[in-house]
Amino acid sequence: MTDFLPLKRIDYIEFYCGNAKQSSLYYQYGFGFKLTGYSGLETKNSKCASYLLEQGKIRFVMTSSYDDNSFISEHVKKHGDGVFDIAFEVDDAAKSFEETVKRGAVPYLNPVKIEDSNGYIIKSAIRTFGDTIHTFIERKNYKGLFLPGFTDASARAPKGITDTGLKSVDHMVGNVELGKMLEWVRFYAETLGFSQLLSFDDKDISTEYTALMSKVMQNSTGKIKMPINEPAPGKKKSQIEEYLDFYKSPGIQHIALTTPDILTTVAELKKRGVEFLSVPKTYYEDLIKRVGHIDEDMKDIEGTGILVDRDDDGYLLQIFSKPVQDRPTLFFEIIQRKGARSFGKGNFKALFESIEREQALRGTL
Ligand code: FE2
């Protein structure tokens, strides 16, 4: 079967935020991203300021508006800071638009050619859950830094910031409302040609208080993975409901970033002020029994608060940040895969109990 939507890679992830200048510094100082591009008033962009940040293959764009009643400002007013756009690089942005809209996608942006002295790009976009979109970027005729309108900003980057070893986006998780998961699973299957990799129900993902259900969707190459969560009925408010309450709609819950050396990466992130969830000491008591031998020193794993899980293909190491803005919405996962292709099912319980402790502190459990 031919893939009607061959996605080459995640091109960039764009965040709408209240103050892109300051947010970009958080990702530089905290996460070790490098400022490489800028678009704003000085580059004749009177609409918004955008900062391009890069680390490994990861590209984030932080954007805020100059105008009080712009779409960007409305987005920030409603959702707080969060992910607006997960953009995919494609060979043909017009065809990607046509094929997905034909299959039911709601158009956001008709194919448009944008050029500067470095050539041109064609982009188009469709809506996904909440106010989130997917942009299709065709850049084969473009030689510039990033997109037309962006200038090299590397000279503005603070000196002496080293990267933290982050390499790529492993997966991006969407939270949708109760009863809507299957609808969005179908959207990714029928409209974007994704297939289902894994499924978790509330028996897999529940604690005494909260539960959720999740299905992992991936594109034909398996490089782009998007799990979709919905809350399941529990005794108290689940983390998914808390997210929906504060984000005011479905949206991106977390982005998982890969590293080849999680111990070093997480030690660096912590030193730079990124906050992580912690699990109780008891988590580590029977860990060896559960996951068997791992290459890393168990003392280091426990000392850094890393979670470990094993599947048929190997094991994985992971840790979750606290929310990265004041609203308890978007957070990050840092993941190192050593063969494992799953998502840490064995850690869900410990992780959720940890999130519930945070929710209790916020008074939102
Ligand atoms: Fe994850």
Side-chain angles (χ1 to χ4, degrees), residues 3 10 74 81 134 146 148 160 179 187 190 200 209 222 252 258 270 331 354:
D3 185 358
I10 299 162
E74 290 300 325
D81 291 3
H134 288 306
F146 175 51
F187 169 80
E190 290 170 8
F200 307 102
Y209 295 122
I252 295 295
T258 67
K270 285 185 171 177
F331 61 88
S354 174

Side-chain angles (χ1 to χ4, degrees), residues 25 88 223 234 328:
L25 286 169
F88 302 124
K223 279 189 187 152

Side-chain angles (χ1 to χ4, degrees), residues 170-171 173 227 253-256 318 320 331 333 335 343 348:
D170 187 88
H171 59 275
V173 181
Q253 177 211 38
H254 77 267
I255 300 170
Q318 64 186 168
F320 296 84
F331 61 88
E333 172 182 351
I335 185 166
F343 293 81
F348 288 165

Side-chain angles (χ1 to χ4, degrees), residues 1-9 88-90 188-189 191-197 216-226 341:
M1 217 172 66
T2 57
D3 185 358
F4 63 83
L5 184 67
L7 303 176
K8 298 173 85 167
R9 60 168 178 148
F88 302 124
E89 188 188 349
V90 296
Y188 278 95
T191 308
L192 284 90
F194 282 35
S195 57
Q196 189 176 313
L197 175 65
V216 182
M217 303 303 289
Q218 65 175 5
N219 77 322
S220 63
T221 62
K223 279 189 187 152
I224 299 166
K225 296 190 189 73
M226 294 200 57
R341 295 166 61 221

Side-chain angles (χ1 to χ4, degrees), residues 102-329:
K102 192 167 81 187
R103 288 171 171 82
V106 178
Y108 179 79
L109 175 72
N110 287 318
V112 56
K113 183 177 172 181
I114 305 171
E115 58 191 323
D116 66 11
S117 56
N118 292 305
Y120 68 89
I121 62 130
I122 297 173
K123 70 173 187 172
S124 62
I126 58 169
R127 292 180 179 280
T128 178
F129 42 74
D131 291 324
T132 317
I133 67 163
H134 288 306
T135 295
F136 301 120
I137 301 278
E138 174 186 328
R139 51 170 72 256
K140 56 179 182 277
N141 296 300
Y142 193 67
K143 299 269 178 298
L145 169 85
F146 175 51
L147 293 172
F150 276 78
T151 53
D152 187 341
S154 48
R156 285 177 66 182
K159 304 290 171 277
I161 297 179
T162 52
D163 73 64
T164 56
L166 298 171
K167 296 292 183 207
S168 63
V169 174
D170 187 88
H171 59 275
M172 301 148 291
V173 181
N175 279 347
V176 301
E177 304 100 323
L178 180 64
K180 296 285 186 187
M181 178 181 67
L182 287 177
E183 195 177 295
W184 288 106
V185 162
R186 230 175 285 132
F187 169 80
Y188 278 95
E190 290 170 8
T191 308
L192 284 90
F194 282 35
S195 57
Q196 189 176 313
L197 175 65
L198 286 166
S199 176
F200 307 102
D201 64 21
D202 48 350
K203 281 178 254 350
D204 297 319
I205 316 184
S206 68
T207 63
E208 190 188 346
Y209 295 122
T210 61
L212 70 83
M213 295 190 284
S214 185
K215 289 189 189 295
V216 182
M217 303 303 289
Q218 65 175 5
N219 77 322
S220 63
T221 62
K223 279 189 187 152
I224 299 166
K225 296 190 189 73
M226 294 200 57
I228 310 285
N229 293 337
E230 75 170 27
K235 277 190 212 161
K236 291 197 178 180
K237 184 183 281 188
S238 79
Q239 48 163 313
I240 311 300
E241 287 168 281
E242 185 196 37
Y243 176 98
L244 295 168
D245 281 355
F246 280 89
Y247 200 67
K248 307 294 177 191
S249 83
I252 295 295
Q253 177 211 38
H254 77 267
I255 300 170
L257 304 174
T258 67
T259 167
D261 178 2
I262 197 166
L263 287 168
T264 304
T265 294
V266 172
E268 279 298 322
L269 292 169
K270 285 185 171 177
K271 207 160 73 186
R272 300 174 194 202
V274 178
E275 299 175 294
F276 290 93
L277 295 174
S278 57
V279 288
K281 277 202 155 315
T282 50
Y283 171 84
Y284 293 96
E285 280 167 10
D286 62 346
L287 186 58
I288 292 261
K289 225 188 300 165
R290 188 161 66 75
V291 300
H293 171 79
I294 60 170
D295 304 334
E296 294 72 17
D297 188 330
M298 223 17 129
K299 272 202 202 71
D300 295 338
I301 292 293
E302 181 174 350
T304 314
I306 306 292
L307 308 175
V308 191
D309 197 27
R310 185 178 284 281
D311 64 24
D312 294 341
D313 302 305
Y315 68 96
L316 64 81
L317 307 155
Q318 64 186 168
I319 190 168
F320 296 84
S321 82
K322 293 185 180 181
V324 291
Q325 58 290 304
D326 292 308
R327 295 195 202 188
T329 51

